Amino acid sequence: MGCAMRTEIRAAAVGFCCADVYENLGKWYPTGNGIDWGIHLRRMGVPMSVVSVVGNDSYGRGMKKVLAEEGMDISHLRTEEGSTCLTRMALKNGTDRVHLESVDGVMEHYALTEEELRFVEQHDLIHTDLFGNALAHLPRWKAAGVKILMDFSVFTKDPAYACEKIFPYVDYVFFSADGISREELEDWVRRIHGMGPVLVTATMGEEGSLCFDGKKMYHYGIVKTDVVNTVGAGDSYIAGFTYGILQGWTIPDCMAKGAELAASVISKFEPY
């Protein structure tokens, strides 16, 4: 499936990170697509690094503390003068997350240094997304033999992000496809695959997920559970799927692991 299957494989979450703050509940969590993904994989035994930036405020200190306690390599989680990127959150109807305000903080002008770029090249697999200021480096990392996984969220067709220029450098494409007809979705998944990725996977909410490997279109449903909080559902699915990739599992088994992990996350408040 295009990724080295070694027990000592090293993975990294590169780019965006932030703190989700539920002020009315008195709770906050270190998060970001790659952070959630990385915590899940680290808990499953995968060596994990974080390459990003936090501010020198209480959230930044707290993020470093939590991630270190999770056993993640934070040697390249840089601290800069200023505020940590954060998203003020609330819950609607008791389970649905609502983004109230985003504050970019030190994430706004984050740029990887040459030393950090070389550090990333020491990894076998990285996760990044559209918002971590890392996209310009994808060609370099791909040329260095790093496998690249990206979460495109709902933006694969958004012209503002020019995703068709990014797909050729990504090995594993994941995106959210709620509300897209099955026929339209399958056509789009095939088109993305034709641009270069090894696997293209779309999550469809309660309809499960689709994955295309260039030969077969796979479908997998959901694992039913009581929903407490939808935060982290997509990231946990991707983490479970990724774990299967690293173990050399079949695509259906990867999808099953993703659905299982997502169900375990949405059945509790925490995002991982």
Side-chain angles (χ1 to χ4, degrees):
M1 293 170 64
C3 191
M5 309 303 175
R6 297 187 286 110
T7 56
E8 72 274 21
I9 191 166
R10 296 183 65 199
V14 182
F16 183 76
C17 75
C18 70
D20 276 2
V21 181
Y22 296 81
E23 292 177 337
N24 62 324
L25 301 178
K27 296 178 180 287
W28 76 276
Y29 300 95
T31 187
N33 303 73
I35 299 298
D36 292 359
W37 172 86
I39 288 176
H40 285 300
L41 285 170
R42 183 69 199 103
R43 291 178 177 179
M44 290 187 280
V46 178
M48 181 65 57
S49 305
V50 179
V51 183
S52 189
V53 64
V54 295
N56 61 343
D57 54 6
S58 60
Y59 290 122
R61 292 190 295 273
M63 288 178 71
K64 283 194 162 185
K65 181 176 185 292
V66 170
L67 298 182
E69 290 173 347
E70 290 286 348
M72 302 174 80
D73 178 353
I74 62 168
S75 63
H76 289 73
L77 178 54
R78 192 194 313 166
T79 298
E80 290 188 354
E81 180 76 24
S83 62
T84 299
C85 177
L86 63 86
T87 303
R88 292 191 170 90
M89 305 284 289
L91 291 182
K92 180 181 179 182
N93 301 323
T95 59
D96 296 327
R97 60 179 174 177
V98 179
H99 292 78
L100 301 178
E101 180 188 14
S102 294
V103 179
D104 291 336
V106 295
M107 194 78 242
E108 181 177 5
H109 301 293
Y110 173 61
L112 282 86
T113 65
E114 178 61 29
E115 193 276 332
E116 289 166 343
L117 292 170
R118 290 196 300 268
F119 178 73
V120 173
E121 290 173 354
Q122 297 171 20
H123 294 77
D124 302 279
L125 173 71
I126 68 166
H127 174 298
T128 192
D129 53 44
L130 294 169
F131 310 107
N133 298 341
L135 298 178
H137 308 298
L138 298 184
R140 169 175 172 167
W141 291 330
K142 188 167 182 69
V146 179
K147 297 298 180 184
I148 298 170
L149 180 154
M150 272 195 68
D151 177 3
F152 287 84
S153 186
V154 298
F155 302 108
T156 56
K157 289 189 174 184
D158 190 326
Y161 296 100
C163 292
E164 294 190 17
K165 295 182 179 180
I166 303 170
F167 294 141
Y169 301 106
V170 179
D171 297 281
Y172 305 110
V173 167
F174 289 86
F175 69 99
S176 175
D178 293 19
I180 301 177
S181 72
R182 182 69 170 267
E183 182 179 0
E184 180 185 1
L185 177 59
E186 290 192 7
D187 177 67
W188 182 227
V189 164
R190 288 189 174 93
R191 285 180 58 194
I192 294 174
H193 188 275
M195 299 179 207
V198 175
L199 295 178
V200 181
T201 305
T203 55
M204 305 180 295
E206 294 182 354
E207 299 300 315
S209 56
L210 286 178
C211 181
F212 186 58
D213 65 355
K215 296 180 180 179
K216 183 175 179 179
M217 188 74 68
Y218 297 86
H219 174 257
Y220 195 87
I222 63 170
V223 175
K224 292 186 178 180
T225 188
D226 293 328
V227 179
V228 174
N229 188 358
T230 55
V231 172
D235 299 332
S236 55
Y237 175 91
I238 296 172
F241 195 114
T242 303
Y243 184 76
I245 290 175
L246 300 181
Q247 300 304 312
W249 293 355
T250 65
I251 291 175
D253 285 345
C254 291
M255 299 172 83
K257 183 64 174 178
E260 174 190 334
L261 191 55
S264 72
V265 166
I266 65 175
S267 65
K268 59 186 180 182
F269 186 86
E270 290 76 12
Y272 34 72

